[in-house]
DNA sequence: GATTATTTTTGACGGATCGTCAAAAAAATC
DNA sequence: GATTTTTTTGACGATCCGTCAAAAATAATC
């Protein structure tokens, strides 16, 4: 840490100050609210200096996403180490995913903006690779749990159905659900009181559908959940 | 149809010409590619006239989404009328959803753009209601099939688990999957050869997980699919 | 420590594009 | 055919992005 030249230190510090200032702009006013002149004003540097750090608006957004993405990896890592059977570890990962979107709802917004091709196109290949890598890390961890289940003979996937395909389904279900939850106007009419619980129920149903044992009717989901929240996440 | 005044006719015609010109702009160049001056150039009217039809860029995008949304309702309607048990009708709806995203991939892009709060905010409440209504129609149809299954005692949902909650899961799974599929860079590393088939398999697993009979191992999915494609969609 | 070379910062500027509005043109009415 | 109403026009103001030559700060050299 202390091996950095003072100049480099200043650069890094300024970089995070820029992001600090940019974050609430995007969060509160969305993509259009991110304004380079305003950033320059608020961090008390000229616009040119901001552009020395980030070559365009979009780079700032992806940098914000990267900041938060590491938090997800951490949460997944903790979940994957839960000492229990594969199925419960999978539940722990589900809990990590839920905790992530609840604790860092900003990330969701950044990701949504970055999903627009016209935005993503402008970001550097380098930062794109960081995001992809962080996502791949999470996917691998989930696939690892699936493999453990297979090894333990708790699960037998259909012919040609790779663990990654199962991860794809879980990923689709949860990310799709979170997308709906965060654009709430489509939710109220459905009368979903606790949408996160519904996601959990669907995840369990999906695993049951693949005959992953123990089947959800063989244990008390609430109990397991309490245990996970306490032991893995220290109750928040 | 012929009861319109010539002036009104011209207005409507011009409106669809504007959308015709705008569509490929958004599809090919994304949100940023939609340029009001270029539209004016291409439809050979002044910018002011364009603004008489659409009060801002964003209104054009939501109008494009509305154009396509009706196609989805049609497909869902056809699927819901498939003469078969509820479970196979649900499969037919899944097929309709798949056909929709394959036939009208543009819609997906429009929806993604409109999901950004900073974009949606600028659109009229009126058009937002149209979109919501169209989505609600589809959701109701799916919920109807779920209710039929319950009535036929093919399905018994857990206590407090409404048909709408099941729809929420199916909707999450498919829309989430399609979002991943259309941003393909996260797909290749997973080695998914036919992602749409994987979505179908997951849908079936989910229904199995809720114990919706007939269970997927009690019939030949491919056969049923062929039948649906032939009888409901005339093979494309 | 003075001078020169290099790096960093600055903010005025060009350019793109949005949305407006007063004036012009067209259509409707009398 | 004159007058009123509606529609169209495109020049214009405003915003905001990203650039770049000049200025300021820092480092290197003697």
């Amino acid at each position: 840490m202390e091996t950095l030249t003072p100049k480099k230190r200043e650069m890094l510090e300024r970089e995070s100050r820029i992001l600090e200032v940019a974050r609430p702009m995007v969060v509160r006013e969305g993509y259009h609210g991110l304004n380079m002149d305003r950033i320059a004003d608020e961090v008390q540097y000229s616009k040119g200096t901001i552009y020395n750090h980030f070559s365009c608006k979009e780079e700032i957004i992806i940098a914000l996403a990267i900041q938060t993405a590491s938090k997800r990896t951490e949460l997944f890592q903790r979940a994957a180490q839960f000492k229990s059977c594969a199925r419960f570890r999978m539940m722990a990962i589900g809990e990590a995913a839920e905790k992530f979107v609840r604790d860092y709802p900003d990330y969701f917004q950044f990701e949504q903006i970055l999903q627009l091709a016209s935005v993503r196109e402008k970001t550097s290949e380098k930062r794109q690779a960081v995001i992809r890598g962080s996502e791949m890390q999470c996917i691998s961890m989930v696939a690892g749990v699936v493999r453990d289940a297979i090894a333990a003979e708790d699960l037998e996937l259909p012919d040609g159905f790779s663990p990654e395909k199962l991860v794809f389904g879980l990923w689709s279900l949860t990310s799709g659900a979170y997308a709906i939850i965060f654009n709430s106007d489509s939710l109220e009419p459905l009368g979903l009181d606790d949408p996160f619980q519904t996601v959990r129920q669907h995840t369990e149903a999906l695993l049951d559908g693949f005959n992953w044992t123990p089947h959800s009717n063989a244990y008390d989901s609430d109990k397991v959940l309490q245990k996970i929240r306490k032991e893995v996440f220290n109750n928040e």
Side-chain angles (χ1 to χ4, degrees), chain A residues 187-204:
Chain A
L187 258 189
E188 298 134 27
L190 290 182
L192 296 200
D193 38 321
D194 181 356
F196 288 104
Q197 197 208 356
T198 309
V199 176
R200 288 195 297 272
Q201 288 173 303
H202 277 290
T203 309
E204 296 214 277

Side-chain angles (χ1 to χ4, degrees), chain A residues 19-50:
Chain A
L19 294 178
E20 260 169 54
V21 163
R23 179 179 289 266
M25 279 188 195
V26 181
V27 171
R28 285 212 304 272
E29 299 164 64
Y31 176 64
H32 287 109
L34 186 63
N35 181 304
M36 299 304 265
D37 291 80
R38 262 173 66 203
I39 292 177
D41 272 4
E42 293 194 26
V43 298
Q44 301 263 46
Y45 278 97
S46 76
K47 200 149 54 130
T49 300
I50 311 293

Side-chain angles (χ1 to χ4, degrees), chain A residues 69-70 73-74 76-77 130-144 171:
Chain A
S70 62
T73 319
E74 282 169 34
F76 271 54
Q77 237 144 17
V130 174
I131 287 277
R132 264 202 309 273
S134 148
E135 198 170 294
M136 279 308 300
Q137 258 190 292
C138 291
I139 289 176
S140 305
M141 281 189 269
V142 184
W171 200 269

Side-chain angles (χ1 to χ4, degrees), chain A residues 36 50-57 59 122 124 127:
Chain A
M36 299 304 265
I50 311 293
Y51 275 94
N52 277 350
H53 289 274
F54 301 99
S55 66
C56 62
K57 265 178 81 152
E59 281 287 292
K122 296 207 202 167
S124 64
R127 283 203 168 91

Side-chain angles (χ1 to χ4, degrees), chain A residues 154-173:
Chain A
D154 288 343
L155 171 66
E156 190 175 358
L157 289 174
D159 268 0
F161 200 93
S162 64
E164 278 73 17
K165 285 187 184 173
L166 182 49
V167 177
F168 169 68
L170 291 164
W171 200 269
S172 300
L173 175 61

